[in-house]
Amino acid sequence: MEDGHESNLVYALVYGCILALGLPLNAVSLWILLRRHNLKSPSVVFMVNLALSDLLLAISLPMRVHFYATGTWSLGNELCIWTTMLFHNNIRSSSIFITFISVDRLLAVLYPLRSRHLRTASNALKAVVLAWLFVGVLNIPERLEFSMFFKRKNNSTCFEFQHNVTINNNNRHYHKSASTYVSSMLELILLAVNVVGTTLVSWTLRRHLTDSASVNNKVNVMLIFIMNMMMFIICFLPMAVVLLLYGLPVSTPLLCLASFNCCLDPLLYYFSLDAFWKKKEDIELAREQ
């Protein structure tokens, strides 16, 4: 019991640190993106939605800090369910928006002229609306699953939902829900897209960019792709693999790792937008690149 209490305090501290970093970083990033960049380019549209997703996650973290610091949950089942879904929604939506950013940069590098009619703010807005709708649809079976959990096991816990379990020959078998399959496969597919995109962009930049000005731009572009891919590998992949292969309830350390993405995403905005800190009138030149 003592070890469990100490580990819970560690989780509370970790979530508290993520909250302390993620909340101000994403609030400031969202303010800068909206005030200085507007929604006039696809990259900004994707980044605004990514910052919003991370901000929603950060807002939900005080509930996790409360639960792990006190060891009990007294705020009701509904708040627990919605807070948990905010967490899952961040992982899904963040991975989608990060991939959108990679695809947008990929088209800009490989087909700078031919892709201009596709890479518009209007098309980006349509894409993010579809992404949020997709994430919302996944909430429906997931919410039913969480509600059934509370009906089966009425206690003062939260964030540690157990999947349906059967025991054969003293072995536990966890039944994976449809949302678990979809979420796990989504992460793996999006990771593959980022890996392919990184490979293609690296090959293209190595062949065509040789002068010193282009080299600086090349470094920035490659940093975007490398950061995106590392975000998937470090934050999202471990949880997706555990869910897909074993169907186990994801351990809290992996959830902590996944939530850390909201602290890393603001770095993406800085490297993606050459004029991130500049005023509106100075940004137009960067957009032509």
Side-chain angles (χ1 to χ4, degrees), residues 8-163:
N8 281 349
L9 290 179
V10 171
Y11 298 146
L13 180 62
V14 171
Y15 281 125
C17 292
I18 294 172
L19 171 64
L21 284 173
L23 186 60
L25 281 175
N26 285 286
V28 171
S29 296
L30 187 60
W31 181 83
I32 291 174
L33 288 168
L34 289 174
R35 185 171 178 83
R36 298 192 175 185
H37 295 267
N38 295 328
L39 299 176
K40 293 183 178 180
S41 73
S43 292
V44 174
V45 172
F46 298 141
M47 290 177 202
V48 164
N49 283 271
L50 180 58
L52 178 61
S53 175
D54 289 337
L55 199 57
L56 290 173
L57 170 66
I59 291 172
S60 74
L61 290 181
M63 308 299 178
R64 290 181 179 267
V65 174
H66 161 74
F67 172 68
Y68 288 108
T70 63
T72 186
W73 180 261
S74 58
L75 302 178
N77 295 346
E78 284 298 318
L79 185 58
C80 176
I81 290 173
W82 285 105
T83 304
T84 303
M85 288 197 301
L86 272 179
F87 184 90
H88 290 182
N89 286 348
N90 168 261
I91 295 172
R92 294 162 185 156
S93 59
S94 291
S95 59
I96 293 172
F97 297 140
I98 287 170
T99 305
F100 281 167
I101 293 169
S102 292
V103 171
D104 175 66
R105 293 292 86 198
L106 174 68
L107 293 175
V109 171
L110 266 62
Y111 310 106
L113 297 179
R114 283 185 289 172
S115 66
R116 284 198 171 187
H117 70 286
L118 292 175
R119 297 175 51 248
T120 64
S122 175
N123 286 338
L125 285 170
K126 293 174 185 176
V128 299
V129 167
L130 288 176
W132 283 116
L133 286 174
F134 173 74
V135 170
V137 168
L138 287 182
N139 284 165
I140 298 173
E142 193 168 60
R143 193 194 186 289
L144 293 174
E145 182 184 351
F146 293 158
S147 298
M148 290 177 63
F149 167 80
F150 281 117
K151 288 180 181 178
R152 293 195 309 267
K153 188 174 182 180
N154 188 18
N155 56 17
S156 58
T157 188
C158 187
F159 309 127
E160 297 177 354
F161 297 99
Q162 302 290 323
H163 295 263

Side-chain angles (χ1 to χ4, degrees), residues 106-227:
L106 174 68
L107 293 175
V109 171
L110 266 62
Y111 310 106
L113 297 179
R114 283 185 289 172
S115 66
R116 284 198 171 187
H117 70 286
L118 292 175
R119 297 175 51 248
T120 64
S122 175
N123 286 338
L125 285 170
K126 293 174 185 176
V128 299
V129 167
L130 288 176
W132 283 116
L133 286 174
F134 173 74
V135 170
V137 168
L138 287 182
N139 284 165
I140 298 173
E142 193 168 60
R143 193 194 186 289
L144 293 174
E145 182 184 351
F146 293 158
S147 298
M148 290 177 63
F149 167 80
F150 281 117
K151 288 180 181 178
R152 293 195 309 267
K153 188 174 182 180
N154 188 18
N155 56 17
S156 58
T157 188
C158 187
F159 309 127
E160 297 177 354
F161 297 99
Q162 302 290 323
H163 295 263
N164 295 330
V165 179
T166 57
I167 300 177
N168 294 324
N169 299 324
N170 295 323
N171 293 322
R172 288 175 176 265
H173 298 276
Y174 294 87
H175 301 287
K176 289 171 275 192
S177 64
S179 61
T180 298
Y181 274 114
V182 172
S183 298
S184 302
M185 290 304 301
L186 174 69
E187 300 302 325
L188 296 177
I189 291 171
L190 294 180
L191 172 60
V193 172
N194 279 273
V195 171
V196 171
T198 301
T199 304
L200 290 175
V201 167
S202 175
W203 179 77
T204 302
L205 293 179
R206 193 181 298 118
R207 285 189 60 191
H208 298 290
L209 297 182
T210 55
D211 59 273
S212 59
S214 296
V215 167
N216 291 332
N217 190 42
K218 170 185 175 180
V219 171
N220 258 17
V221 172
M222 284 310 304
L223 276 174
I224 295 170
F225 282 89
I226 292 171
M227 286 172 59

